[in-house]
Amino acid sequence: MLFPMSPKVVELKRRLENFMDRHIYPNEVRFYREAEELGPWKGYPVVEELKPLARAEGLWNLFLPESSHGAGLTNLEYAPLCEVMGRSHLAPEVFNCSAPDTGNMEVLERYGTEADKDRWLKPLLAGEIRSCFAMTEPAVASSDATNIESSIVRDGDHYVINGRKWYTTNATDPRCKICIFMGKTDPDNPDRHKQQSMILVPMDTPGIEVKRPLPVFGFYGVPDRASEVVFTNVRVPKENILLGEGRGFEIAQGRLGPGRIHHCMRLIGLAERTLEKMCRRVRSWVAFGKPVSEQTVTQERIAEARIMIEQARLLTLNAAYAMDTVGNKVAKAEIAMIKVAVPNMACQIIDWAIQAHGGGGTSNDFGLTQAYATARLLRLADGPDEVHRNQIARFELKKYSNA
Ligand SMILES: Cc1cc2nc3c(=O)[nH]c(=O)nc-3n(C[C@H](O)[C@H](O)[C@H](O)COP(=O)(O)OP(=O)(O)OC[C@H]3O[C@@H](n4cnc5c(N)ncnc54)[C@H](O)[C@@H]3O)c2cc1C
């Protein structure tokens, strides 16, 4: 096997799988029911009940690399563990490994001051609060982040923030206490990549209005708490700026690399579980005198799904290895490749599984609709496919710059 797991990771994976069997899978129906009944403006009791159990078993903050706070795993070591968590929508938050908190914690860990870490990183690492990341705006094409129009203006010892954001995941969650906000401090800078900054904005600051939750394919809360948020003359101390004015892009690059690979690792787990569901269903389901599993079209799809998962996993492990060995910046092409390949792979496999389940596949009873929503949104979130493909093509063409 390429990329064999170390004994430490094998042991963590065994414990994680055991926890999933005891606590995650048996509580999924309750989780979906709570999300439906309580909606996006509430936390879900099942999550809060399970978090202390995961923490007590040492299955907590496994995502944090080279840190005194987490398990200190490399990306390559974390990959198979994150994949296990990705099998269920309930799991990542229970293990304090869910987006966008993980990315935000990494930003605080890397770029926050000691005071920021005390005030925000510690409670995030303890799972006491949640966070959001506000970059995307409804008024402009935000996949080109140089378009972003929100303003961050210095006024004495403060910055004043104005702007309208959407798809700010987590903002409706009552436990969401801190926002990492991206806006322009220097809109006239001739270097468009130096115009933006990131700043910490406590969610209880006057002038913040969480306008509405945004459904993802009709789902609120799970799989995502996307929200629209308006910031009007929001004042925060000047010390809240991260790394300094004009460094927003630099931070975004640092944040998005690990965030993207975690999404891909989780989606591989989701695709594996979906294939399992599909195989179980078609073996037990008889149509026109024989199990659906004996139709060659079903077998073709199952075989293709297995090939696609293995390809995606190898590509993701390769990206993890590159990030660990040459750094997130140099591993840009590898990260862009998995960000295109993995959500598309997952979408296709979930689509086949829905088909194999017949009309029931489109209900919420089998977890396939939520799975599809997750995979499909990840062809957009953290950058649409086209933008990543453009980047890959640019890297490729650069090789022929002298041709
Ligand atoms: C459920 C969900 C959760 C999200 N969570 C967050 C969050 O927490 N914080 C946050 O800030 N954002 C979040 N996002 C926003 C996400 O990152 C953006 O939707 C994404 O970056 C695309 O930006 P946009 O929506 O403005 O699309 P646009 O920039 O308007 O692009 C629209 C389309 O144009 C096409 N296009 C764009 N550029 C190119 C190109 N170069 N070549 C070819 N075609 C192109 C693509 O098809 C693209 O999908 C989330 C999105 C979703 C769906």
Side-chain angles (χ1 to χ4, degrees), residues 256-307:
L256 289 172
R260 285 175 181 149
I261 199 166
H262 294 169
H263 281 312
C264 293
M265 292 165 178
R266 281 190 289 267
L267 277 185
I268 293 168
L270 193 62
E272 276 286 4
R273 185 146 182 233
T274 302
L275 180 58
E276 270 172 39
K277 286 180 184 174
M278 178 172 167
C279 290
R280 286 185 207 286
R281 178 74 171 190
V282 294
R283 284 196 78 120
S284 68
W285 211 248
V286 176
F288 298 96
K290 58 181 179 181
V292 177
S293 60
E294 288 180 21
Q295 300 288 352
T296 52
V297 65
T298 309
Q299 293 173 0
E300 279 279 314
R301 287 173 184 169
I302 288 171
E304 199 57 37
R306 171 51 59 211
I307 294 166

Side-chain angles (χ1 to χ4, degrees), residues 27-99:
N27 276 301
E28 282 179 319
V29 170
R30 181 179 160 202
F31 177 53
Y32 287 128
R33 195 183 59 239
E34 285 181 356
E36 205 173 315
E37 287 173 6
L38 299 173
W41 297 95
K42 297 262 167 57
Y44 307 136
V46 64
V47 175
E48 295 308 319
E49 272 173 38
L50 295 181
K51 273 160 55 175
L53 305 184
R55 197 170 180 183
E57 294 194 19
L59 300 170
W60 193 252
N61 292 335
L62 295 176
F63 72 94
L64 256 191
E66 297 149 23
S67 157
S68 50
H69 307 290
L73 300 172
T74 62
N75 287 296
L76 193 57
E77 287 176 315
Y78 181 53
L81 307 175
C82 190
E83 183 181 323
V84 172
M85 295 178 205
R87 293 171 60 87
S88 171
H89 289 108
L90 171 58
E93 196 188 340
V94 168
F95 299 114
N96 217 37
C97 287
S98 61

Side-chain angles (χ1 to χ4, degrees), residues 235-257:
R235 293 179 77 85
V236 296
K238 67 178 188 337
E239 291 75 24
N240 285 23
I241 201 100
L242 286 167
L243 210 57
E245 286 189 17
R247 315 273 303 261
F249 261 92
E250 201 179 322
I251 302 174
Q253 286 317 316
R255 181 187 186 283
L256 289 172

Side-chain angles (χ1 to χ4, degrees), residues 78 108 140 148 174 192 196 203 218 289 322 381:
Y78 181 53
L108 287 162
V140 292
I148 279 168
R192 285 171 67 79
Q196 289 80 4
M203 288 300 282

Side-chain angles (χ1 to χ4, degrees), residues 179-208:
C179 173
I180 298 179
F181 183 96
M182 184 153 168
K184 287 194 175 172
T185 36
D186 187 7
D188 299 323
N189 194 314
D191 182 345
R192 285 171 67 79
H193 293 94
K194 297 261 164 65
Q195 296 175 347
Q196 289 80 4
S197 303
M198 282 199 198
I199 192 160
L200 293 174
V201 186
M203 288 300 282
D204 60 1
T205 315
I208 300 180

Side-chain angles (χ1 to χ4, degrees), residues 43 47-48 51 55 60-61 63 93 96-102 104-105 108 115-132 170 173-180 200-204 225:
V47 175
E48 295 308 319
K51 273 160 55 175
R55 197 170 180 183
W60 193 252
N61 292 335
F63 72 94
E93 196 188 340
N96 217 37
C97 287
S98 61
D101 294 316
T102 50
N104 293 341
M105 286 189 258
L108 287 162
D116 297 334
K117 289 181 191 176
D118 268 353
R119 187 164 175 206
W120 304 117
L121 183 58
K122 274 189 185 161
L124 278 167
L125 286 166
E128 291 161 7
I129 64 168
R130 301 201 76 191
S131 59
C132 62
N170 268 358
D173 191 318
R175 299 160 302 168
C176 180
K177 302 294 180 202
I178 183 70
C179 173
I180 298 179
L200 293 174
V201 186
M203 288 300 282
D204 60 1
R225 290 172 185 263

Side-chain angles (χ1 to χ4, degrees), residues 8 59 64 99 136 211 241-242 292 310 314 364-366:
K8 174 177 156 187
L59 300 170
L64 256 191
T136 306
K211 282 277 181 194
I241 201 100
L242 286 167
V292 177
E310 299 296 330
L314 277 176
N364 293 347
D365 290 2
F366 300 98

